Amino acid sequence: MTDHARDLEAVREATDRLLSATGKMDDGAVAEPSRLPGWSRGHVLAHLSRNADALVNVLQGRPMYANSETRDAEIERDAPRPLAEHLSDLRTSGARFLAAAEAPADWSRTVTLRNGVTDSASRVPFRRWVEIELHHVDLGVGHELEDLPEEFVTRENDFLAERFAGHPDVVPTTAFTEDGQLWTTGGGAKGAPVTVRGSAADILGWLCGRRDGSALTVTDGSLPALPPL
């Protein structure tokens, strides 16, 4: 079973790292492009703040977002803010999430996320951890996939491999690391099984769409093109 309390501590630590890195920027850096197409660093920071509030909604039984248009409009509204406002929002929204997640609750209950996706409440802290770690990398401020905690990389690879398992556009694929970690995914598309080898961070980069997979070694075929998350 997912240890939500342990994941909450990881969220707290990841948030501190994010705030420390963001605090070293200035207003000009916030306005510069992030690694996400069409988004500035301000867009990424605004999304992280609003995601914290959205996950509070989830934990408290409300819709995650009113609708996709509202979600997008709030990010566009908040993206151009000065650094000081982003930092304040990141701190306060992050604190709201932690407070909501630390309240006594039935962690085995099912909650509803965006687009009708459901999950166990116990996995919500991990989902927040994912948002913070991957979007910290997206800021392009020196925090790379190789800098992510080993446990996080393994668990996110587990999650993403499961997400694409049986996908109709992905042939059966097995990914290996040199130290013996293994993930299987795909399988819904016709074609011979493919084997992928590389570091856990490079496998994560491919699975989450942050890298093109050129650092991976592929045998028995070509690297599958994964659908967007």
Side-chain angles (χ1 to χ4, degrees), residues 132-151:
I132 297 168
E133 294 287 17
L134 293 185
H135 286 314
H136 191 165
V137 172
D138 293 333
L139 288 173
V141 291
H143 189 65
E144 304 296 341
L145 296 177
E146 285 76 11
D147 299 317
L148 301 178
E150 182 178 349
E151 177 192 355

Side-chain angles (χ1 to χ4, degrees), residues 13-204:
E13 293 171 359
T15 299
D16 288 344
R17 290 193 295 270
L18 175 68
L19 286 167
S20 177
T22 303
K24 296 174 183 176
M25 294 194 289
D26 56 26
D27 290 347
V30 170
E32 291 174 351
S34 73
R35 292 177 176 176
L36 293 178
W39 271 18
S40 68
R41 291 188 177 117
H43 284 87
V44 175
L45 297 175
H47 165 63
L48 281 167
S49 294
R50 300 290 67 78
N51 171 261
D53 288 339
L55 291 177
V56 170
N57 289 337
V58 168
L59 290 174
Q60 296 180 349
R62 296 186 296 273
M64 186 170 181
Y65 296 102
N67 51 60
S68 59
E69 291 79 12
T70 298
R71 171 188 177 273
D72 295 344
E74 289 179 343
I75 293 171
E76 290 295 334
R77 177 198 67 200
D78 294 343
R81 296 178 302 181
L83 174 63
E85 292 184 27
H86 278 295
L87 287 170
S88 176
D89 198 6
L90 284 169
R91 289 192 189 96
T92 56
S93 62
R96 283 193 297 269
F97 171 77
L98 289 171
E102 288 166 351
D106 173 12
W107 286 98
S108 67
R109 72 191 188 281
T110 298
V111 295
T112 302
L113 299 149
R114 192 180 176 201
N115 297 326
V117 172
T118 59
D119 203 351
S120 168
S122 64
R123 286 174 59 88
V124 172
F126 180 69
R127 286 178 175 272
R128 177 60 181 170
W129 190 12
V130 170
E131 292 287 328
I132 297 168
E133 294 287 17
L134 293 185
H135 286 314
H136 191 165
V137 172
D138 293 333
L139 288 173
V141 291
H143 189 65
E144 304 296 341
L145 296 177
E146 285 76 11
D147 299 317
L148 301 178
E150 182 178 349
E151 177 192 355
F152 172 83
V153 173
T154 297
R155 288 179 60 189
E156 181 64 351
N157 280 347
D158 290 344
F159 173 78
L160 293 172
E162 180 181 350
R163 178 166 181 165
F164 295 125
H167 195 283
D169 297 329
V170 183
V171 299
T173 305
T174 303
F176 293 92
T177 64
E178 291 185 359
D179 60 1
Q181 290 181 287
L182 178 154
W183 295 275
T184 59
T185 194
K190 294 181 179 179
V194 172
T195 299
V196 176
R197 296 182 185 275
S199 70
D202 279 322
I203 291 170
L204 173 59

